[in-house]
Structures are given as structure tokens and as C-alpha cells.
Amino acid sequence: DKESGSVDYMNPEAKRYYGVSMDTKKSTDQPQLDLAGILETCDFESGAERAAIEESLREIKLESNTVQFECRKVSNGTDTQTGGADAAGGMAWHRMVFVPCKNPGSGKDSLYVNEYDISELKKVQNDLRAANMAQDALVASVTHELRTPLIGMIGLTDALMQDSKTSASIKKNLKIIRNSGLRLNILVNDILDAASTKRNTLVVKQEQVDLEESMRDVEAIVSPLLKKNVSLINEIKNIPHLRGDSGRVTQILMNLVQNAVKFTSKGHITVSAEVIDAGRMVEVRVKDTGIGMPAHKLSSVFKAFHQGDAEIAREYGGTGLGLSLVKSLVEAHSGGINLESNHGGPESRTT
């Protein structure tokens, strides 16, 4: 009963848990337990938390939503899923769900209470959380170990290319090595940034950004990757300097253009930009004549590790991190990203 807090009915499992004895043959018998007694068994973090829940239960109405929360309770050994107790202190996790309803017998406003032992679920969640932390630590360790020799390799090739004694033919090969190192370094940074995004620790600086220069840097690295019948057209011109993270903006462009290069075997890739929203934003467009993507897969393309389907993943490779990271970086700059694709048609566009 919502008004008095008295319990009119308990199922057998609830009676066993709360130690309530009731002769169900006598309709006048009621469980010797009330709402306050039920809440008393909950181990709340603070008195304020309990007060807030009690207030929610007082305010709950028939047309309103349910009130639910999770709490630890002292186990009495009768919990049906896990035996009730954890190894540390005889505590079990429960989920309490309070649903407003009308008592079919009295017609009074009442609360239908569902209580679940979720100790096993909590254990699985904690195990998964620990596994994720271990995975993140391994990824961070491996990528940092990769980054050190890559930076050394890039620096050494730069020094050799600037040496006047280095012949033109050797400089050409050194440039290929340098660009390969830069691409690998970008991949390492993407992996680290994906982990930072997952932990909500991604750092975005506020500085002056020259979009045209960023695109020229991307063009220099990506051009050697173009297939024979594909041209990269840079139409970014006369764009004023932006405020944002210069390195992140280059990273965004690099991932978008590399993605277009990977899936375009003939035709062109065009990168353009224009000032919009009364000069407050810049819209960058990457168009390509690649394989495109079916409409039903567009909604999942920005998910981490997503690569269309298994056949595409086998044929084109990649980590599936690029577009997911691009979305996070764009949103960190208070922007948005959109993909339009004409599967099997002449053009796809990312904005």
C-alpha cells in the first residue's frame, strides 16, 4: 500500500529472503513487513541517497515511470541465483524496481515491487571491466613501443634526404620509406586516440589551423598510395584560418582521404571546403568514385572496428578505427559528420 507502506502480498521467494512467515490460507494474515523495512535492508552509500529514493517513491504516481535502483544487501543465504553472498563480506547485489499500480483488492494506490539478485551480473561486469582495462594497458604499451622506433626512422630518413651527398635515386627511395613511416605513425596515433576516446581523455588544443596547409600535408603522404587510374583533386582554397587542434584536423583529413583511396580503384577523389553558418563553421567534403556502401549499413559505419562485411575486410584490410575516430575528433571540435553513398553508383560523399 503506497500510503501506509504496508506489504499486502509477497511471493514465496520474497518471503524466504525476508524471513516472513504467512499462512496463505487465511486472507486476514499479512506479512509483518513494510516499505521502510524493505529499504532498511539496503546498504545505501549515504543517508542522502536513501532520502532521495524515499522521496521518489512518495512522489511516484500511477501514470509516472517506475523507480529503480541497485544496492548491496546483507545476504541471508536464500538468494536463488548466486547463493547471495560475495566472498568479501556476505553482501549481495540486488536491483529494486517499484511500479505504481492499483491494488485489485482494495483499489488503493500501490507499488508493485520486483527485486532481483544481480550478483552474478555484477561479477561479470567487473570481470569485463578488468579485462578492458588490461586490454587498454596492453594496447598503450605496444603502441608506445612502436612509436619510438618509427619516430627514429622518420627522423633518420629526413636527415639523409637533406644530406647533399645523397643521390636523387636514393632520395626517391628514402621518401617512400619516410611516407610509409608516417602512415604507420598515424595508425599508431589513431590506436592511442581511440583508447583515449574510450576513456574520455582525448585532448583537443585550441590554436590557429591552416586547413590548406593541413590538406597539402595529407596530399604529400597519400598521393603515393593512389592507384594508377585514380586522381586526387585538392580544391581547398581561400579558406580563412580556423580555431581548433591543427594536428587533429590533419588527422581527420588523413583518415577520410585514406579511406577514399583504399576503396577507389578508378576515377577521382575530390576534397573541397567552404565557409558556412555566417563564417562560424567550415564544411569539408570528400567525394570519391569508389565502391560505395549499401544504405542499410550507413548507420554503423562510424562504429569502432566496423568494416562493412567480412568480404570487404578480407579484401581491403584495415583496423576499422578510422571513421570512428574521425567522428569523435569532429565532435570534439563541436562539429558533425555525415556520409552519403550511392552503392554501385558514380559517387560517395563524406561531409
Side-chain angles (χ1 to χ4, degrees):
D1 185 280
K2 184 173 179 293
E3 184 176 346
S4 66
S6 63
V7 177
D8 294 329
Y9 171 78
M10 300 177 74
N11 68 14
E13 292 296 335
K15 285 188 286 183
R16 277 197 292 272
Y17 179 80
Y18 286 101
V20 172
S21 175
M22 183 176 77
D23 184 355
T24 55
K25 294 180 181 179
K26 297 180 180 179
S27 59
T28 56
D29 285 342
Q30 292 184 341
Q32 299 303 303
L33 186 68
D34 58 14
L35 182 60
I38 292 176
L39 294 179
E40 193 65 37
T41 64
C42 300
D43 182 25
F44 293 108
E45 293 290 332
S46 64
E49 182 186 7
R50 172 171 177 163
I53 289 172
E54 289 177 336
E55 177 67 20
S56 298
L57 292 176
R58 280 194 296 270
E59 296 296 324
I60 194 171
K61 294 180 173 57
L62 195 61
E63 66 275 8
S64 63
N65 294 326
T66 61
V67 171
Q68 60 177 304
F69 59 90
E70 295 176 358
C71 64
R72 284 160 60 87
K73 287 192 168 192
V74 176
S75 171
N76 62 7
T78 63
D79 296 34
T80 57
Q81 293 181 20
T82 63
D86 61 28
M91 302 294 286
W93 275 99
H94 283 215
R95 178 180 291 129
M96 310 286 292
V97 182
F98 296 81
V99 184
C101 63
K102 284 285 187 184
N103 188 317
S106 65
K108 294 181 178 180
D109 288 345
S110 303
L111 292 173
Y112 181 76
V113 185
N114 289 302
E115 185 169 351
Y116 308 91
D117 172 17
I118 58 170
S119 300
E120 188 65 26
L121 174 62
K122 283 290 184 180
K123 180 179 182 303
V124 172
Q125 289 176 338
N126 289 335
D127 290 345
L128 287 173
R129 194 174 294 112
N132 281 332
M133 291 177 64
Q135 175 184 290
D136 290 345
L138 176 62
V139 168
S141 176
V142 170
T143 48
H144 279 297
E145 289 297 320
L146 286 171
R147 176 186 273 177
T148 302
L150 277 173
I151 292 174
M153 182 182 77
I154 293 166
L156 183 58
T157 53
D158 279 339
L160 289 171
M161 288 171 67
Q162 293 170 11
D163 191 335
S164 59
K165 297 178 182 179
T166 305
S167 67
S169 60
I170 292 177
K171 283 184 178 181
K172 183 179 179 181
N173 290 330
L174 286 172
K175 186 176 181 181
I176 294 172
I177 294 172
R178 179 182 181 277
N179 286 340
S180 297
L182 287 171
R183 291 199 302 273
L184 284 173
N185 194 47
I186 290 168
L187 175 59
V188 168
N189 289 335
D190 283 352
I191 294 171
L192 287 172
D193 287 339
S196 296
T197 301
K198 185 178 177 182
R199 297 192 302 269
N200 294 318
T201 58
L202 188 68
V203 177
V204 176
K205 296 182 290 185
Q206 290 296 315
E207 58 190 359
Q208 195 173 70
V209 179
D210 186 336
L211 190 62
E212 295 178 36
E213 182 181 350
S214 293
M215 185 56 207
R216 285 193 295 269
D217 291 341
V218 171
E219 198 173 4
I221 296 173
V222 170
S223 291
L225 303 177
L226 293 169
K227 298 176 181 69
K228 185 177 180 180
N229 298 319
V230 178
S231 59
L232 175 60
I233 305 169
N234 179 8
E235 294 183 349
I236 296 181
K237 294 179 177 65
N238 303 318
I239 299 297
H241 286 179
L242 316 175
R243 291 295 297 174
D245 190 319
S246 181
R248 301 298 189 191
V249 170
T250 302
Q251 195 175 3
I252 291 167
L253 289 170
M254 182 68 71
N255 273 296
L256 290 176
V257 175
Q258 278 189 329
N259 192 72
V261 169
K262 182 193 297 185
F263 296 107
T264 304
S265 58
K266 62 180 180 179
H268 59 269
I269 300 163
T270 305
V271 185
S272 59
E274 68 173 314
V275 178
I276 60 171
D277 196 18
R280 289 188 291 269
M281 303 285 286
V282 170
E283 182 179 88
V284 178
R285 294 178 295 276
V286 180
K287 299 179 182 179
D288 65 69
T289 55
I291 61 174
M293 179 172 285
H296 68 277
K297 293 186 177 180
L298 294 179
S299 60
S300 58
V301 73
F302 295 109
K303 294 179 180 178
F305 305 107
H306 181 83
Q307 285 188 290
D309 55 41
E311 185 178 344
I312 288 176
R314 283 194 300 271
E315 182 176 353
Y316 293 95
T319 62
L321 279 175
L323 291 181
S324 170
L325 182 58
V326 164
K327 184 175 185 292
S328 297
L329 293 175
V330 169
E331 290 175 348
H333 283 83
S334 301
I337 187 166
N338 178 59
L339 172 64
E340 298 174 10
S341 181
N342 186 4
H343 189 224
E347 193 171 72
S348 296
R349 180 175 72 176
T350 304
T351 305

